[in-house]
């Protein structure tokens, strides 16, 4: 259980199955998902609404129980953990999470400082020390100290999301999971947050970057996993995924991302890919009926 | 919080009224100039130097009775509200967190209490625990607790699913931490409003129980009791109900104002109110733009 | 471009559908004099009456049938307010303090409420960001479209239903009859946006304003909607105003781009020009951001020079046979002037 073993992956998900609902209404959310995140690596998880990307994050955080499979966080197998064990793990701040909408992930009644140092206060760090550390991380996301006394409502969307990132950093986690961290932001703020994530990656923080938008992830991610209908259909280096996508869904993703080049795929090509995916989904469902 | 409430004019008025009422409740029986139980031949007399508010149908000094009854009245109403609060709000908040079984149990208990006929329950409890002020307050308090239960549960549910609570959970916060830090502040305003409302109901219910011989016993004066007996002699003293009614109204009004003030400084609306004032003040201070980076609307 | 416009708006007040047959395809690059201007915005300024501040400092553009213009800017740039001014739905305290808007030759300045009602939907129409909030959750989707058809076109019950299903098919919904009888909660965001587009084009408008219409959608769905808009433009000659915070979304669909910042138009020109030769620092920044964080950083490499017909960057695995579609060769000149 020593934390200095650098060769060990920060996160290892093996053959994860997650189901929702009971009996008749039981739905499969994730099927046979395996994913490894090495120390200092940034992995992008791409998928559309309902692909299971948020379920994956919630399973790793222990908010959703896995039906089968194994989840190992920093060498510690957490699959069968009780809620007490989960709380102990969370208190150590090994994994942190950044939500999509920074307005809702920060308590509107608490000042920036209170929200920022909350993970440390939960750990039992004395307030003065927590405040000092909080200030250091605020600087790291390029926010000025004078924001500490403000309420989230007084901050811009980009500032709030940077506070959320700083909050995730403050407990010095081995892994940060970011769920659509820039989707709610407009272009200027989006770039600001992406720059910070890039710096973090360069500084050796492990990140899992979840998004529906390939375009927002490629600038930061080393590797990209494509999640489609609860299964990982493709994993590879960002460059390979974009230049040589194999699965039709990945091809559609690449072809759909708006770029400044003339569209990276023609309308007809996208149409053909959609038809292909649709036909395949129908075929998958057919025997089940 | 207290400072923010006092920052609002309505808050200052509310605190002023309620302190006066509290003072009356504490000192009232001592200040009463005459014996509130002494009957005199001059019944239903108008105001005079001897009897500032006249006398009632047994010739008792109304002013002394009002002062003497203020402690019982106010304490009774507050007691009712507090019992309701503890018996309702605490399980209301916890029903969201302590698992399915507890949730089911508390919900059914609340339903049962709502379904109970008030008078039958009051009579049954006094028969069981004996007749007395505390027993009567207990009855009323328990019967109003479903209101607090519903209000606090609804408010907690709204907050419990929010992302910042989940964020604190992911950081390892315990249920106690989540409730203290994130839930309590949001649940308080609606509970405060329910509390103010209950204090008002408390006066009326306590006096209506007196009418039935439950709780406060007849010679003992209360504001509600005085009001009820004054109403019987309206033809002789049409002005008489004004003073006890005004006292009850002032208390209810004061607590409503306070509840509103609490809501204003802690709710969504209050934040924007306070923030806009603060932003306005800051704008006057510094001519340069405030935001360090990024622009939003 | 402005020179060809008749000075007196009365000159062009003619029943607009006789000017533009809605089903004829008008080439986007038709000469400036080829058709009448359907939407002319001239130096529109918007003022906030509460604090007496000008928020939009003069926007001008004009559109001919089948053209598409894109307005790019971040929140607070005034792009949405400009659209709202064109639609006559500015918030109460905001007024158009100067300039004029002409829709199909009619100045909107003196329109009465009733004239507005006639104009909206039948001549100009719009779709916005959050499709679910524009539909009634307790009524099936179909009747909400037929309502528009019956009110605007005076169709009978049966004819309206027939037309509504046609419209749902026109926005490329897979099973229009099924969708007709579904509720809002049964449909995905992309499908709802299609339904709203169907409603918006129900009364055959000439101009469609899409204000961040794809922002809340998944990227693949966004591409579907953008493809649909391009398709409608080709098929029925719909004139588009596309508003987005993303330059790439707009560049993909429009032949003309307008970049706004803090109420000011900082760049205005044909898409190619704006992308090749951005004049303003802000436009340059938008482009650089895409270059650094978007897909472009990988699309630039040698593999992307694939010529039509071969696609070495899309290897065809045995499981997924080659698609009978030719890949467009990426336009490499784009952005050369920038870097």
């Amino acid at each position: 259980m020593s934390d200095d073993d650098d060769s060990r992956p920060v996160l290892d998900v093996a053959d994860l199955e997650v189901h929702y609902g009971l009996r008749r209404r039981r739905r499969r959310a994730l099927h046979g998902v395996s994913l490894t995140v090495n120390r200092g690596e940034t992995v992008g998880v791409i998928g559309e609404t309902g692909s299971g990307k948020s379920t994956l994050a919630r399973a790793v955080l222990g908010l959703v129980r896995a039906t089968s499979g194994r989840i190992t966080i920093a060498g510690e197998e957490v699959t069968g953990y009780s809620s007490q064990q989960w709380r102990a793990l969370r208190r150590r701040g090994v994994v942190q999470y950044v939500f999509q909408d920074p307005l809702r992930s920060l308590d509107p009644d608490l000042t920036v400082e209170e929200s920022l140092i909350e993970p440390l206060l939960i750990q039992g760090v004395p307030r003065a020390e927590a405040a000092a550390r909080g200030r250091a991380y605020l600087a790291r996301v390029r926010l000025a100290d004078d924001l500490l006394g403000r309420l989230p409502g007084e901050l811009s969307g980009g500032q709030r999301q940077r506070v959320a990132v700083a909050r995730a950093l403050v407990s010095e986690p081995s892994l940060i999971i970011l769920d659509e961290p820039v989707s709610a932001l407009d272009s200027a703020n989006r770039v600001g947050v992406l720059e910070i994530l890039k710096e973090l990656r360069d500084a050796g923080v492990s990140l899992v970057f979840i998004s529906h938008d390939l375009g927002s992830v490629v600038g930061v991610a080393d590797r990209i996993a494509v999640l489609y209908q609860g299964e990982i259909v493709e994993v590879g280096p960002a460059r390979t995924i974009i230049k040589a996508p194999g699965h039709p869904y990945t091809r559609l993703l690449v072809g759909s991302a708006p770029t400044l080049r003339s569209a990276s795929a023609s309308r007809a090509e996208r149409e053909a890919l959609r038809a292909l995916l649709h036909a395949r989904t129908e075929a998958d469902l057919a025997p089940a009926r | 919080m207290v400072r923010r409430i006092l920052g609002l004019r309505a808050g200052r008025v509310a605190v002023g009224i309620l302190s006066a009422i509290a003072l009356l409740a504490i000192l009232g029986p001592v200040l009463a100039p005459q014996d509130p139980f002494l009957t005199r031949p001059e019944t239903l007399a108008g105001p005079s130097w001897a009897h500032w508010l006249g006398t009632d149908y047994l010739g008792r000094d109304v002013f002394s009775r009002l002062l003497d009854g203020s402690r019982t009245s106010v304490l009774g109403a507050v007691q009712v509200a507090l019992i309701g609060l503890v018996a309702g709000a605490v399980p209301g908040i916890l029903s969201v967190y302590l698992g399915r079984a507890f949730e089911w149990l508390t919900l059914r208990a609340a339903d049962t209490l709502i379904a109970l006929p008030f008078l039958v329950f009051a009579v049954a409890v006094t028969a069981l625990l004996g007749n007395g002020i505390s027993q009567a307050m207990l009855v009323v308090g328990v019967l109003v607790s479903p209101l607090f239960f519903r209000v606090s549960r609804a408010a907690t549910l709204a907050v419990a699913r929010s992302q910042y609570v989940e964020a604190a959970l992911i950081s390892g916060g315990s249920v106690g931490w989540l409730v203290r830090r994130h839930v309590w502040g949001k649940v308080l305003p609606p509970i405060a409003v329910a509390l103010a409302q209950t204090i008002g109901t408390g006066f009326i219910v306590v006096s209506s129980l007196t009418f039935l011989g439950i709780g406060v016993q007849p010679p003992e004066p209360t504001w509600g009791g005085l009001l009820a007996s004054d109403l019987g002699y309206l033809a002789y003293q049409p002005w008489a109900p004004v003073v006890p009614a005004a006292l009850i109204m002032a208390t209810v009004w004061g607590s409503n104002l306070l509840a509103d003030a609490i809501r204003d400084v802690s709710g969504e609306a209050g934040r924007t109110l306070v923030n806009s004032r603060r932003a306005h003040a800051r704008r006057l201070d510094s001519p340069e733009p405030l935001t360090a980076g990024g622009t939003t609307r | 471009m402005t020179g060809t416009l008749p000075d007196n708006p009365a000159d062009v007040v003619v029943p607009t559908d006789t000017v533009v047959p809605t089903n004829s395809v008008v080439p986007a690059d038709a000469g400036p004099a080829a058709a009448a201007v359907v939407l002319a915005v001239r130096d529109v300024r918007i003022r906030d009456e509460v604090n007496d501040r000008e928020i939009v400092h003069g926007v001008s553009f004009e559109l001919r049938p089948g053209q598409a213009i894109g307005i790019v800017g971040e929140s607070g740039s005034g792009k949405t307010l400009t659209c709202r001014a064109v639609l006559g739905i500015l918030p109460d305290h905001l007024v158009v303090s100067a300039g004029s808007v002409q829709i199909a030759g009619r100045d909107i300045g003196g329109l009465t409420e009733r004239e507005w009602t006639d104009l909206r939907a039948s001549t100009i129409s719009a779709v916005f960001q959050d499709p679910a909030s524009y539909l009634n959750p307790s009524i099936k989707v179909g009747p909400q479209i037929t309502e528009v058809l019956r009110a605007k076109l005076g169709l009978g019950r049966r004819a309206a239903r027939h037309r509504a299903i046609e419209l749902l098919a026109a926005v490329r919904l897979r099973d229009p009859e099924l969708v007709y009888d579904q509720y809002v909660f049964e449909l995905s965001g992309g499908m709802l946006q299609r339904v709203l587009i169907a409603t918006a084009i129900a009364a055959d408008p000439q101009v469609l304003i899409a204000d961040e219409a794809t922002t809340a959608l998944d990227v693949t769905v966004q591409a579907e909607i953008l493809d649909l808009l391009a398709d409608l433009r080709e098929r029925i000659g719909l004139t588009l105003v596309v508003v987005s915070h993303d330059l790439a979304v707009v560049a993909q669909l429009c032949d003309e781009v307008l970049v706004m910042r803090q109420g000011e138009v900082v760049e205005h020109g044909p898409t190619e020009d704006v992308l090749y030769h951005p004049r303003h620092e802000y436009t340059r920044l938008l482009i650089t951001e895409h270059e650094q964080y978007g897909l472009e950083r990988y699309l630039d490499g040698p593999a992307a020079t694939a010529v039509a017909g071969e696609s070495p960057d899309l290897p065809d695995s045995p499981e997924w046979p080659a698609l009978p579609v030719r890949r467009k060769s990426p336009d490499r000149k784009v952005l050369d002037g920038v870097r």
Side-chain angles (χ1 to χ4, degrees), chain A residues 58 107-109 114 118, chain B residues 166 177 181-182 186 271 296:
Chain A
R58 296 176 70 81
D107 189 329
D109 289 338
E114 292 292 319
E118 187 179 23
Chain B
E166 197 160 68
W177 175 275
R181 196 144 170 106
H182 298 289
K186 274 83 177 171
R271 263 193 308 283
T296 38

Side-chain angles (χ1 to χ4, degrees), chain A residues 20 94 149-150 158 232 270 275 279 281 285:
Chain A
Y20 273 130
V94 181
R150 303 244 190 118
I232 289 188
R270 283 198 288 269
T281 311
L285 289 175

Side-chain angles (χ1 to χ4, degrees), chain C residues 1 46 54 112 126 133 178 180-181 191 210 266 337:
Chain C
M1 232 181 163
I46 299 171
E54 193 170 271
T112 62
S133 61
L178 182 72
Y180 186 92
D181 281 323
M191 291 167 102
V266 295

